[in-house]
Amino acid sequence: MSMAVLLANGDAPILAAQTSRNQAAEQAAGVGVVRPASPVGGYQVVHIYPHDPEAFTQGLTYDAGRLYESTGRYGRSSIRLVELKTGKVIKSRSLPVFYFGEGLTLWGDRLIQLTWKSHTGFVYRRDTFETLGTFQYHGEGWGITRVESLLVMSDGSAALRFLDAASLQEIKSLEVTDGGRPVMALNELEYINGEIFANVWPTDWIARISPETGRVVGWVDLAGLRIAGRATGKEDALNGIAYDAENDRIFVTGKLWPKLFEIRLVPPPSG
């Protein structure tokens, strides 16, 4: 059975579930993990914010009080500047109809966005969304984040690919494993306190990954948020992690979700 913690937030109580290892195994089996070997933690909801229910969220990043979002789907992909408190889109730029937007991250005064199957990334001026250039990569583009002086991207497999931030060329890769087994379908990425957090599509799980070894050092079970976020199907998967480093806040949302959640991590149960 799962353990549940009833938690108050700014709007109403939320039931935050922390799933047992057996339930975790059932869900993770579909993404390349037979049974989680690393500790499984939960979450508390700190605050709930509005989110555009038409946003097919593929990338999320936060810095200096600003929330940036990448949305997907052919003909509807975009990059956006979003007001956190209201969910209002302050500024937006659409991608050409033949690109499917994916992960998004910041590098200095630039925004870097991946696309799914076009082998093409875009570099924008952060303040104006002016296109500064493009870059190429092999395979698919899923998630991207900054780790120290490098960029790290996922491609839907168990691999994390490290890019030189200046040239945007791949310099190395790591296989992500848990208990020696590969963890597939790594999606949106965010670097938080020395670890890479990765949504694992299409589950309610976030893998916490060592950027040095590729090993999963822990899991975050976000079961319950899908219901609270009013997601209705597989396509509405949890996707989108942003970190406010200045105030130590974590934000998560999903594709087509009308809500964005600020959460606090709950350590795994002892024993």
Side-chain angles (χ1 to χ4, degrees):
M1 297 179 64
S2 65
M3 297 185 298
V5 184
L6 192 63
L7 303 162
N9 63 77
D11 297 329
I14 286 289
L15 192 64
Q18 187 168 310
T19 310
S20 70
R21 285 291 181 96
N22 287 339
Q23 289 172 305
E26 291 176 4
Q27 190 176 56
V31 291
V33 178
V34 175
R35 182 178 297 275
S38 303
V40 179
Y43 66 95
Q44 294 175 342
V45 173
V46 177
H47 199 87
I48 301 175
Y49 300 96
H51 181 252
D52 179 5
E54 298 299 316
F56 197 77
T57 305
Q58 299 290 76
L60 203 65
T61 191
Y62 184 96
D63 183 66
R66 294 187 171 190
L67 181 69
Y68 300 91
E69 184 171 19
S70 169
T71 69
R73 289 184 161 172
Y74 292 109
R76 302 185 66 178
S77 294
S78 68
I79 55 168
R80 301 172 168 195
L81 173 61
V82 179
E83 186 174 63
L84 175 64
K85 291 184 178 180
T86 66
K88 178 182 177 182
V89 179
I90 300 172
K91 181 168 52 181
S92 177
R93 175 166 183 164
S94 297
L95 274 69
V97 296
F98 43 84
Y99 288 112
F100 191 116
E102 285 281 349
L104 181 73
T105 196
L106 277 163
W107 182 268
D109 63 352
R110 300 181 177 190
L111 285 161
I112 299 172
Q113 182 187 36
L114 302 180
T115 60
W116 183 22
K117 293 184 177 181
S118 302
H119 318 294
T120 301
F122 289 89
V123 181
Y124 306 95
R125 193 178 303 280
R126 169 179 175 160
D127 292 337
T128 64
F129 290 177
E130 172 193 356
T131 302
L132 298 175
T134 62
F135 63 101
Q136 304 297 309
Y137 48 84
H138 68 274
E140 297 181 358
W142 285 43
I144 189 169
T145 190
R146 174 181 175 176
V147 176
E148 305 297 343
S149 60
L150 298 174
L151 299 175
V152 182
M153 64 175 285
S154 61
D155 58 13
S157 70
L160 290 177
R161 295 154 59 177
F162 291 72
L163 312 181
D164 177 82
S167 67
L168 297 173
Q169 296 301 303
E170 182 175 339
I171 58 174
K172 68 174 182 177
S173 66
L174 281 177
E175 182 182 49
V176 175
T177 60
D178 185 43
R181 297 186 176 93
V183 179
M184 304 296 292
L186 299 173
N187 203 355
E188 224 274 288
L189 306 177
E190 185 73 11
Y191 187 57
I192 302 177
N193 294 326
E195 299 172 353
I196 298 173
F197 282 47
N199 287 127
V200 180
W201 183 85
T203 76
D204 297 324
W205 291 72
I206 288 175
R208 299 173 60 173
I209 304 161
S210 165
E212 287 79 29
T213 66
R215 294 176 182 171
V216 174
V217 298
W219 294 90
V220 184
D221 175 11
L222 293 176
L225 281 190
R226 184 184 294 264
I227 296 173
R230 299 179 183 174
T232 58
K234 181 178 179 181
E235 191 175 53
D236 305 349
L238 182 79
N239 203 42
I241 313 167
Y243 182 56
D244 175 6
E246 183 178 355
N247 298 294
D248 192 28
R249 297 187 295 173
I250 299 174
F251 305 106
V252 296
T253 190
K255 304 175 183 182
L256 309 177
W257 287 20
K259 298 179 185 296
L260 180 145
F261 299 89
E262 179 186 338
I263 63 170
R264 182 182 299 117
L265 301 183
V266 174
S270 58

